[in-house]
Amino acid sequence: MDGVSGLLTTQSVVAFSVGAGLVTLVTLLVVLVRRRKPGNAVDEAVLDAVWAMSKTQFDLRDGLDQDAADRLVTRLIRLLKCVAVGIADREGTLLSWDGEANDHYVDLVAPIGSAIRKQHREVVAHSKLPCDQRGNCRMRTAVIMPIVVEGRTEAVLLVLGRTQGKRIVQMAEAVHQFVSTQLHVAKLEETKHQLQQAEIKALRAQISPHFVYNALNTISSLIRTDPEEARELLQDFADFTRYCFRAEGTFTTLSEELRNIDRYLTIEGARYGSRLGVRLKIAPEVQSVVVPFLLIQPLVENAVKHGIAQKPGGGTVTVIAQDMGSEAEISVEDDGAGMDPALLEGMRDSGSSAHIGLTGINRRMHQVYDQRYSLMVETAVGAGMKVTMRVPKFVRHVRPDMPGYPAEQPQQHGRRGVAPARPGMPVGS
């Protein structure tokens, strides 16, 4: 299965999981409404259930930790109106408990262990437990539900009811299904984040060793003839590599990404001289737009390596970012060697080190945005290449992760900033 198919499969699983959560919520509503009186009590029960479950989704967004467990049991006991609700970890250790009869947790250790091992529900009647207050103890049934995610027991849900029979078991099962679905979604989100991190590592690995060698060679050749230029290029190189290999974050601002592209083009400009022209045209309105980390830099690297470098007389790389209402449009264009459009599909699917394929960039855009946002490529032999993308200005839950540079380190040493071009090169208006 290729990367795009794999992404679609992941998205389908997420959609299925969310759908299953909705079905579970409806089931829970039916169970709760049946146990309430008709009329206004029914409306109140529905509103209580919807409110509690909507909050539970946010509680479990990052998985089940101590804080999430505390919030979860508090919401569930209010929703179920039962004696107590508890959450234990995968080892059976109690994380959180809300309600009465907490002394019976010790008596439930063995059934909890059995539920974890068998990954099967356990129902324990009060008559089976040692209790010194049989006449006054409000607990009548304990339902123990293992929460299994991807074949592994991640936690155990305990619901202690006032009555015996199927009703308390049905309530526990409905809540269990909803919580399990939310933990599945959280696991998928974690896997998605790990995939994004792996792709960023792959992009870092694709930074050409030849670029590093040539950059250092260019700097060393200037040490005697122009030490000031060598010092500035060395600082640009240090800032470029620090940005590319930063440890944190999967998102950055368009301004930061373009600033790093400017450093890259500065270094390559020192190597190619008059053979490489640069034109940057950046609208101020889009500089704060958040984009995936290292989304645009590979396109600029392709333009230099496979466009300008392959053309005897060189050429110009043009980077334009403009405001398109609710979106920002970014294009990377070169007037270099170009390529046969018939070979474009091969380039899209390329995973070789000869150039950075477009499939990975498309996949990252689809992960963050949706299928509507893809690369548009125009090319012809001898006519260069233009790659255009559009990204929304605002995406929910997407925030820039800025690099944690030490305070004494200057944030920027570029001689041009983001928009201006090198002296002697055409500048976009």
Side-chain angles (χ1 to χ4, degrees):
M1 181 182 294
D2 61 22
V4 175
S5 300
L7 173 62
L8 292 176
T9 302
T10 302
Q11 291 174 332
S12 300
V13 171
V14 173
F16 176 80
S17 299
V18 174
L22 293 175
V23 172
T24 305
L25 179 56
V26 171
T27 303
L28 180 60
L29 289 173
V30 171
V31 172
L32 290 171
V33 168
R34 283 179 177 175
R35 65 188 292 266
R36 306 294 178 91
K37 296 179 180 180
N40 292 336
V42 172
D43 296 336
E44 182 182 350
V46 171
L47 290 175
D48 287 347
V50 171
W51 179 257
M53 289 299 98
S54 65
K55 293 295 184 182
T56 301
Q57 295 183 64
F58 295 103
D59 292 341
L60 300 176
R61 174 177 293 167
D62 297 324
L64 185 62
D65 56 15
Q66 181 66 62
D67 291 339
D70 290 341
R71 293 191 298 268
L72 179 63
V73 297
T74 299
R75 297 189 196 284
L76 291 184
I77 194 171
R78 292 175 181 172
L79 174 67
L80 301 178
K81 309 296 184 184
C82 57
V83 174
V85 174
I87 291 287
D89 64 16
R90 64 171 65 98
E91 305 296 333
T93 303
L94 186 64
L95 289 176
S96 186
W97 184 282
D98 197 345
E100 304 176 48
N102 57 336
D103 54 313
H104 279 311
Y105 175 75
V106 176
D107 304 324
L108 296 173
V109 168
I112 290 172
S114 176
I116 293 174
R117 290 192 304 273
K118 298 178 181 179
Q119 295 187 346
H120 190 270
R121 180 191 73 203
E122 296 281 342
V123 180
V124 182
H126 181 263
S127 59
K128 302 294 184 180
L129 301 177
C131 184
D132 298 333
Q133 300 179 357
R134 289 192 179 276
N136 298 323
C137 185
R138 300 181 65 190
M139 169 197 162
R140 289 293 174 266
T141 306
V143 184
I144 303 169
M145 309 286 294
I147 300 174
V148 181
V149 179
E150 296 184 356
R152 179 182 179 183
T153 302
E154 294 293 336
V156 181
L157 173 67
L158 297 89
V159 177
L160 279 62
R162 296 184 175 88
T163 61
Q164 296 180 348
K166 294 182 179 180
R167 184 59 55 85
I168 184 64
V169 176
Q170 291 174 340
M171 291 168 56
E173 285 183 341
V175 171
H176 165 265
Q177 290 176 14
F178 184 84
V179 173
S180 296
T181 299
Q182 298 308 310
L183 290 181
H184 271 89
V185 172
K187 187 68 174 180
L188 287 172
E189 287 294 327
E190 180 184 354
T191 302
K192 177 181 176 181
H193 178 72
Q194 291 173 348
L195 176 61
Q196 291 174 340
Q197 292 295 327
E199 289 181 334
I200 289 175
K201 290 180 179 179
L203 284 170
R204 289 166 174 162
Q206 288 177 337
I207 293 176
S208 173
H210 294 291
F211 166 72
V212 175
Y213 171 81
N214 290 328
L216 293 176
N217 190 52
T218 299
I219 293 170
S220 66
S221 68
L222 291 171
I223 289 176
R224 290 189 177 181
T225 59
D226 193 343
E228 181 63 23
E229 178 72 7
R231 187 193 69 81
E232 292 184 354
L233 284 176
L234 186 60
Q235 187 63 67
D236 282 330
F237 180 76
D239 289 343
F240 172 81
T241 54
R242 186 165 67 246
Y243 176 86
C244 291
F245 292 98
R246 72 185 195 183
E248 65 274 87
T250 55
F251 297 98
T252 187
T253 61
L254 184 58
S255 175
E256 286 293 318
E257 186 80 352
L258 293 172
R259 184 173 289 113
N260 203 54
I261 288 170
D262 182 68
R263 297 178 187 122
Y264 171 80
L265 291 172
T266 297
I267 297 167
E268 290 290 64
R271 175 189 171 196
Y272 287 101
S274 61
R275 290 185 58 208
L276 175 60
V278 174
R279 182 172 178 263
L280 302 177
K281 183 179 180 182
I282 314 301
E285 296 84 359
V286 301
Q287 293 194 31
S288 60
V289 172
V290 179
V291 295
F293 180 59
L294 291 181
L295 183 71
I296 307 168
Q297 192 273 336
L299 300 177
V300 177
E301 185 174 342
N302 279 337
V304 174
K305 290 174 58 179
H306 306 291
I308 305 304
Q310 303 301 319
K311 185 176 180 180
T316 300
V317 173
T318 302
V319 180
I320 299 176
Q322 53 187 331
D323 184 13
M324 303 297 290
S326 62
E327 299 174 328
E329 183 178 273
I330 304 113
S331 64
V332 178
E333 182 178 5
D334 68 82
D335 55 2
M339 68 178 300
D340 185 348
L343 302 176
L344 184 59
E345 286 304 315
M347 180 178 178
R348 287 179 186 272
D349 299 329
S350 174
S352 69
S353 59
H355 60 74
I356 301 172
L358 302 180
T359 297
I361 298 176
N362 258 328
R363 181 169 59 247
R364 295 180 69 204
M365 292 179 66
H366 293 164
Q367 287 174 344
V368 178
Y369 311 119
D370 58 47
Q371 300 295 320
R372 295 186 300 114
Y373 294 94
S374 300
L375 296 181
M376 296 172 284
V377 183
E378 305 170 62
T379 187
V381 176
M385 178 178 290
K386 181 179 182 180
V387 182
T388 305
M389 67 173 71
R390 284 197 178 191
V391 298
K393 285 184 177 178
F394 305 101
V395 180
R396 189 179 182 184
H397 304 313
V398 172
R399 298 290 185 272
D401 304 297
M402 305 310 293
Y405 295 151
E408 66 273 11
Q409 292 288 343
Q411 293 287 332
Q412 175 185 346
H413 293 277
R415 283 153 284 172
R416 303 187 306 272
V418 174
R422 246 180 327 277
M425 301 300 172
V427 181
S429 57

